[in-house]
């Protein structure tokens, strides 16, 4: 009988395939799971088991992560054999536009919307973002504390900015933020996620229709014009608008809230930020917090379409790969003393935005928003403090994007 | 030292502009544009940074 051959619990067997994601049993909520660090010490690649029993490769070291993310033989197409899905996809659900496609179609679609995210275009938005941030802080200071920083500050900022850029009325934010939350919650059923996604897609399809008829000076009108020109179908245009609307929401919002929580735990680092007038140090703090935190904790996922030899292994065509950037960003070969938050270090080479042709399109915008936030909030509210015990903060281990559900703060 | 840019590989991430604003710019679609093929020594560190972080590996710095 098979069970008589077991010498102990299955998880103690040396050849057991570990499950991914791993439990966050570390006492530090900002550190990767200890099991992930152990795997990284053992080697750059290892097999893991996912929710559906599939066994893709987990890539734990920085160099191999960058090499694979930049390799044309790995596919971002979720329909490819071996693609490691984060959860069960809803049958018949549309693709989330170009992030789930390969070149040349990926490049064709992505280039349609890259213009507004160029560095100088984003820089031109900085004064408007500064006004938004200052206005939200004014409102906070005018009312009683404590407040939930996620609700009154962290989420409204990226939401207001992307709504303005796209031309989506911000007044509707309750509607789409509620659905976006469902879409990124791993505990939501595929049906719930599918329904939420269709609700927002339907809303955006309606807005796109209006912009076809009456174009404005916004990104939705630009996408609508591609439909009129026959370069995009209505379906493709809607998927693209949905991607742009939701991509910046949870990510930037969690970077603001989790970043603030991390800084509150490191008062010396917070003091450096509070006291500086040097935009370079603020920019450096943004890069270090992007490296140190791990918003995209479930990794960048791909399917391999041709055999690839890397890190002493052969990844076969049809196998999946997961590049866990949170552990790549803690690779001691690349970042000295990687578990230390040090806003003065040069962290620019982090892979928080991914790498390769799919690297985050909105990163100049995210960087600028975070620079304004980190450069303003702690100066304007120098007495900002956590209004509950750290142990009582609920972390988003149940979401595709890591962060905190609420952040009660007072001052 | 000479900078080489393969613009058809570019994914408009803007990393090079952030690293070396005197050497790189972006066109209306965000695609990188090389402003200075032979940058002065003071810009070379920024160019090396751009080479290292370009997600599309579209930039090279070559000896002449």
């Amino acid at each position: 009988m098979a069970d008589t051959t077991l010498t102990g619990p299955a998880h103690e067997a040396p050849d057991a395939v570990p499950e991914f994601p791993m439990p966050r049993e570390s006492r530090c909520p900002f550190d990767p799971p200890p099991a992930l660090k152990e795997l990284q010490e053992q080697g750059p690649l290892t097999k893991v088991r996912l929710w559906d029993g599939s066994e893709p490769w987990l890539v734990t070291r920085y160099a191999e992560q960058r090499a694979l993310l930049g390799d044309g033989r790995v596919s971002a197409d979720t329909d490819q054999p071996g693609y490691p899905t984060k959860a069960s996809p809803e049958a018949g659900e549309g693709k989330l536009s170009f992030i789930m496609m390969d070149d040349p179609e990926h490049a064709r679609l992505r280039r349609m919307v890259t213009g507004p995210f160029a560095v100088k275009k984003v820089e031109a938005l900085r004064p408007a973002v500064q006004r938004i941030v200052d206005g939200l802080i004014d409102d906070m200071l005018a009312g009683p504390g404590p407040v939930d920083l996620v609700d009154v500050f962290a989420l409204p900022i990226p939401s207001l900015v992307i709504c303005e850029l796209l031309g989506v009325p911000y007044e509707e934010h309750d509607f789409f933020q509620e659905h976006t939350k469902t879409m990124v919650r791993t505990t939501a059923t595929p049906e719930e996620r599918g329904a939420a996604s269709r609700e927002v897609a339907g809303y955006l399809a309606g807005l796109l229709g209006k912009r076809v008829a009456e174009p404005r000076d916004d990104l939705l009108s630009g996408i609508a014009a591609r439909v009129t020109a026959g370069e995009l179908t209505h379906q493709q245009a809607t998927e693209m608008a949905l991607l742009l609307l939701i991509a910046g929401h949870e990510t930037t919002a969690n970077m603001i809230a989790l970043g603030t929580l991390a800084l509150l735990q490191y008062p010396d680092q917070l003091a450096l930020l509070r006291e500086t007038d040097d935009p370079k140090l603020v920019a450096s703090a943004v890069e270090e917090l992007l490296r140190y935190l791990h918003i995209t904790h479930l990794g960048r996922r791909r399917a391999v379409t041709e055999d690839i030899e890397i890190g002493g292994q052969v990844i076969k065509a049809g196998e999946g790969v997961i590049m866990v950037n949170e552990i790549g960003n803690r690779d001691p070969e690349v970042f000295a003393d990687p578990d230390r938050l040090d806003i003065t270090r040069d962290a620019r080479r982090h892979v928080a935005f991914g790498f390769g042709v799919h690297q985050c399109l909105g990163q100049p915008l995210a960087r600028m928003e975070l620079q304004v936030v980190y450069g303003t909030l702690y100066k304007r509210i120098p007495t900002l403090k956590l209004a509950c015990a750290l142990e009582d903060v609920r972390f988003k281990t149940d979401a595709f994007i890591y962060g905190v559900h609420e952040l009660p703060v007072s001052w | 030292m000479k900078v080489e840019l393969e613009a058809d590989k570019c994914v408009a991430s803007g990393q090079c502009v952030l690293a070396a604003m005197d050497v790189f710019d972006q066109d209306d679609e965000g695609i990188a544009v090389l402003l200075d093929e032979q940058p002065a020594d003071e810009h070379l560190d920024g160019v090396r940074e751009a080479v290292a972080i370009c997600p599309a590996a579209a930039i090279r710095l070559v000896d002449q």
Side-chain angles (χ1 to χ4, degrees), chain A residues 138-156:
Chain A
D138 289 342
D139 292 347
M140 243 168 90
L141 291 174
V147 296
D148 173 13
L149 193 78
V150 174
D151 190 43
V152 303
F153 188 73
L155 194 52

PDB file of all heavy atoms in Angstrom, chain A residues 138-156:
ATOM      1  N   ASP A 138      -6.056  68.267   2.617  1.00  0.00           N
ATOM      2  CA  ASP A 138      -6.858  69.344   3.232  1.00  0.00           C
ATOM      3  C   ASP A 138      -8.138  68.775   3.831  1.00  0.00           C
ATOM      4  O   ASP A 138      -8.499  69.100   4.971  1.00  0.00           O
ATOM      5  CB  ASP A 138      -7.249  70.409   2.180  1.00  0.00           C
ATOM      6  CG  ASP A 138      -6.066  71.257   1.738  1.00  0.00           C
ATOM      7  OD1 ASP A 138      -5.055  71.269   2.470  1.00  0.00           O
ATOM      8  OD2 ASP A 138      -6.143  71.883   0.659  1.00  0.00           O
ATOM      9  N   ASP A 139      -8.815  67.940   3.035  1.00  0.00           N
ATOM     10  CA  ASP A 139     -10.083  67.350   3.496  1.00  0.00           C
ATOM     11  C   ASP A 139      -9.867  66.497   4.740  1.00  0.00           C
ATOM     12  O   ASP A 139     -10.658  66.530   5.678  1.00  0.00           O
ATOM     13  CB  ASP A 139     -10.710  66.483   2.393  1.00  0.00           C
ATOM     14  CG  ASP A 139     -11.175  67.321   1.215  1.00  0.00           C
ATOM     15  OD1 ASP A 139     -11.231  68.552   1.364  1.00  0.00           O
ATOM     16  OD2 ASP A 139     -11.470  66.737   0.146  1.00  0.00           O
ATOM     17  N   MET A 140      -8.762  65.706   4.711  1.00  0.00           N
ATOM     18  CA  MET A 140      -8.449  64.843   5.847  1.00  0.00           C
ATOM     19  C   MET A 140      -8.236  65.676   7.103  1.00  0.00           C
ATOM     20  O   MET A 140      -8.785  65.396   8.164  1.00  0.00           O
ATOM     21  CB  MET A 140      -7.147  64.083   5.550  1.00  0.00           C
ATOM     22  CG  MET A 140      -7.276  62.591   5.479  1.00  0.00           C
ATOM     23  SD  MET A 140      -5.753  61.892   4.794  1.00  0.00           S
ATOM     24  CE  MET A 140      -4.800  61.624   6.246  1.00  0.00           C
ATOM     25  N   LEU A 141      -7.419  66.728   6.978  1.00  0.00           N
ATOM     26  CA  LEU A 141      -7.070  67.555   8.139  1.00  0.00           C
ATOM     27  C   LEU A 141      -8.264  68.351   8.656  1.00  0.00           C
ATOM     28  O   LEU A 141      -8.315  68.704   9.837  1.00  0.00           O
ATOM     29  CB  LEU A 141      -5.918  68.502   7.779  1.00  0.00           C
ATOM     30  CG  LEU A 141      -4.562  67.824   7.547  1.00  0.00           C
ATOM     31  CD1 LEU A 141      -3.524  68.833   7.049  1.00  0.00           C
ATOM     32  CD2 LEU A 141      -4.062  67.128   8.810  1.00  0.00           C
ATOM     33  N   ALA A 142      -9.228  68.615   7.766  1.00  0.00           N
ATOM     34  CA  ALA A 142     -10.401  69.402   8.170  1.00  0.00           C
ATOM     35  C   ALA A 142     -11.396  68.571   8.973  1.00  0.00           C
ATOM     36  O   ALA A 142     -12.237  69.119   9.691  1.00  0.00           O
ATOM     37  CB  ALA A 142     -11.083  69.985   6.936  1.00  0.00           C
ATOM     38  N   GLY A 143     -11.311  67.252   8.841  1.00  0.00           N
ATOM     39  CA  GLY A 143     -12.265  66.383   9.531  1.00  0.00           C
ATOM     40  C   GLY A 143     -11.640  65.703  10.733  1.00  0.00           C
ATOM     41  O   GLY A 143     -10.458  65.912  11.043  1.00  0.00           O
ATOM     42  N   PRO A 144     -12.430  64.892  11.432  1.00  0.00           N
ATOM     43  CA  PRO A 144     -11.909  64.190  12.604  1.00  0.00           C
ATOM     44  C   PRO A 144     -11.122  62.939  12.215  1.00  0.00           C
ATOM     45  O   PRO A 144     -11.374  62.334  11.169  1.00  0.00           O
ATOM     46  CB  PRO A 144     -13.184  63.797  13.363  1.00  0.00           C
ATOM     47  CG  PRO A 144     -14.240  63.671  12.291  1.00  0.00           C
ATOM     48  CD  PRO A 144     -13.860  64.616  11.193  1.00  0.00           C
ATOM     49  N   GLY A 145     -10.154  62.558  13.050  1.00  0.00           N
ATOM     50  CA  GLY A 145      -9.452  61.299  12.881  1.00  0.00           C
ATOM     51  C   GLY A 145      -9.963  60.305  13.882  1.00  0.00           C
ATOM     52  O   GLY A 145     -10.669  60.696  14.808  1.00  0.00           O
ATOM     53  N   PRO A 146      -9.635  59.030  13.824  1.00  0.00           N
ATOM     54  CA  PRO A 146      -8.840  58.471  12.727  1.00  0.00           C
ATOM     55  C   PRO A 146      -9.665  58.271  11.452  1.00  0.00           C
ATOM     56  O   PRO A 146     -10.885  58.266  11.492  1.00  0.00           O
ATOM     57  CB  PRO A 146      -8.397  57.119  13.313  1.00  0.00           C
ATOM     58  CG  PRO A 146      -9.382  56.775  14.367  1.00  0.00           C
ATOM     59  CD  PRO A 146      -9.929  58.055  14.884  1.00  0.00           C
ATOM     60  N   VAL A 147      -8.935  58.133  10.348  1.00  0.00           N
ATOM     61  CA  VAL A 147      -9.588  57.841   9.067  1.00  0.00           C
ATOM     62  C   VAL A 147      -8.938  56.600   8.466  1.00  0.00           C
ATOM     63  O   VAL A 147      -7.844  56.198   8.875  1.00  0.00           O
ATOM     64  CB  VAL A 147      -9.425  59.014   8.070  1.00  0.00           C
ATOM     65  CG1 VAL A 147     -10.120  60.264   8.571  1.00  0.00           C
ATOM     66  CG2 VAL A 147      -7.940  59.293   7.771  1.00  0.00           C
ATOM     67  N   ASP A 148      -9.634  56.011   7.511  1.00  0.00           N
ATOM     68  CA  ASP A 148      -9.039  54.921   6.746  1.00  0.00           C
ATOM     69  C   ASP A 148      -8.299  55.542   5.564  1.00  0.00           C
ATOM     70  O   ASP A 148      -8.912  56.066   4.632  1.00  0.00           O
ATOM     71  CB  ASP A 148     -10.136  53.963   6.267  1.00  0.00           C
ATOM     72  CG  ASP A 148      -9.590  52.893   5.329  1.00  0.00           C
ATOM     73  OD1 ASP A 148      -8.349  52.742   5.253  1.00  0.00           O
ATOM     74  OD2 ASP A 148     -10.407  52.219   4.668  1.00  0.00           O
ATOM     75  N   LEU A 149      -6.971  55.489   5.614  1.00  0.00           N
ATOM     76  CA  LEU A 149      -6.160  56.144   4.584  1.00  0.00           C
ATOM     77  C   LEU A 149      -6.415  55.555   3.190  1.00  0.00           C
ATOM     78  O   LEU A 149      -6.281  56.246   2.183  1.00  0.00           O
ATOM     79  CB  LEU A 149      -4.664  56.039   4.935  1.00  0.00           C
ATOM     80  CG  LEU A 149      -3.756  56.953   4.113  1.00  0.00           C
ATOM     81  CD1 LEU A 149      -3.796  58.387   4.607  1.00  0.00           C
ATOM     82  CD2 LEU A 149      -2.306  56.461   4.109  1.00  0.00           C
ATOM     83  N   VAL A 150      -6.779  54.281   3.126  1.00  0.00           N
ATOM     84  CA  VAL A 150      -7.072  53.664   1.824  1.00  0.00           C
ATOM     85  C   VAL A 150      -8.265  54.361   1.198  1.00  0.00           C
ATOM     86  O   VAL A 150      -8.249  54.758   0.029  1.00  0.00           O
ATOM     87  CB  VAL A 150      -7.362  52.148   1.982  1.00  0.00           C
ATOM     88  CG1 VAL A 150      -7.807  51.538   0.648  1.00  0.00           C
ATOM     89  CG2 VAL A 150      -6.133  51.420   2.519  1.00  0.00           C
ATOM     90  N   ASP A 151      -9.299  54.541   1.999  1.00  0.00           N
ATOM     91  CA  ASP A 151     -10.569  55.068   1.518  1.00  0.00           C
ATOM     92  C   ASP A 151     -10.501  56.549   1.166  1.00  0.00           C
ATOM     93  O   ASP A 151     -11.038  56.983   0.152  1.00  0.00           O
ATOM     94  CB  ASP A 151     -11.628  54.807   2.608  1.00  0.00           C
ATOM     95  CG  ASP A 151     -13.021  55.099   2.098  1.00  0.00           C
ATOM     96  OD1 ASP A 151     -13.318  54.700   0.960  1.00  0.00           O
ATOM     97  OD2 ASP A 151     -13.797  55.732   2.830  1.00  0.00           O
ATOM     98  N   VAL A 152      -9.844  57.338   2.036  1.00  0.00           N
ATOM     99  CA  VAL A 152      -9.888  58.795   1.824  1.00  0.00           C
ATOM    100  C   VAL A 152      -8.704  59.331   1.030  1.00  0.00           C
ATOM    101  O   VAL A 152      -8.706  60.488   0.618  1.00  0.00           O
ATOM    102  CB  VAL A 152      -9.970  59.574   3.169  1.00  0.00           C
ATOM    103  CG1 VAL A 152     -11.175  59.122   3.981  1.00  0.00           C
ATOM    104  CG2 VAL A 152      -8.695  59.438   3.976  1.00  0.00           C
ATOM    105  N   PHE A 153      -7.703  58.497   0.780  1.00  0.00           N
ATOM    106  CA  PHE A 153      -6.487  59.036   0.157  1.00  0.00           C
ATOM    107  C   PHE A 153      -5.886  58.099  -0.890  1.00  0.00           C
ATOM    108  O   PHE A 153      -5.742  58.465  -2.062  1.00  0.00           O
ATOM    109  CB  PHE A 153      -5.465  59.335   1.267  1.00  0.00           C
ATOM    110  CG  PHE A 153      -4.240  60.064   0.825  1.00  0.00           C
ATOM    111  CD1 PHE A 153      -4.293  61.415   0.493  1.00  0.00           C
ATOM    112  CD2 PHE A 153      -3.020  59.404   0.748  1.00  0.00           C
ATOM    113  CE1 PHE A 153      -3.154  62.092   0.091  1.00  0.00           C
ATOM    114  CE2 PHE A 153      -1.871  60.079   0.340  1.00  0.00           C
ATOM    115  CZ  PHE A 153      -1.940  61.433   0.014  1.00  0.00           C
ATOM    116  N   ALA A 154      -5.538  56.870  -0.468  1.00  0.00           N
ATOM    117  CA  ALA A 154      -4.742  55.995  -1.343  1.00  0.00           C
ATOM    118  C   ALA A 154      -5.483  55.588  -2.612  1.00  0.00           C
ATOM    119  O   ALA A 154      -4.902  55.606  -3.701  1.00  0.00           O
ATOM    120  CB  ALA A 154      -4.298  54.749  -0.573  1.00  0.00           C
ATOM    121  N   LEU A 155      -6.752  55.249  -2.492  1.00  0.00           N
ATOM    122  CA  LEU A 155      -7.516  54.829  -3.667  1.00  0.00           C
ATOM    123  C   LEU A 155      -8.006  56.003  -4.527  1.00  0.00           C
ATOM    124  O   LEU A 155      -7.945  55.927  -5.763  1.00  0.00           O
ATOM    125  CB  LEU A 155      -8.689  53.932  -3.222  1.00  0.00           C
ATOM    126  CG  LEU A 155      -9.404  53.127  -4.310  1.00  0.00           C
ATOM    127  CD1 LEU A 155      -8.432  52.303  -5.156  1.00  0.00           C
ATOM    128  CD2 LEU A 155     -10.448  52.205  -3.696  1.00  0.00           C
ATOM    129  N   PRO A 156      -8.475  57.103  -3.912  1.00  0.00           N
ATOM    130  CA  PRO A 156      -8.926  58.225  -4.749  1.00  0.00           C
ATOM    131  C   PRO A 156      -7.847  58.787  -5.680  1.00  0.00           C
ATOM    132  O   PRO A 156      -8.174  59.235  -6.783  1.00  0.00           O
ATOM    133  CB  PRO A 156      -9.346  59.287  -3.720  1.00  0.00           C
ATOM    134  CG  PRO A 156      -9.712  58.513  -2.509  1.00  0.00           C
ATOM    135  CD  PRO A 156      -8.793  57.325  -2.491  1.00  0.00           C
TER     136      PRO A 156
END
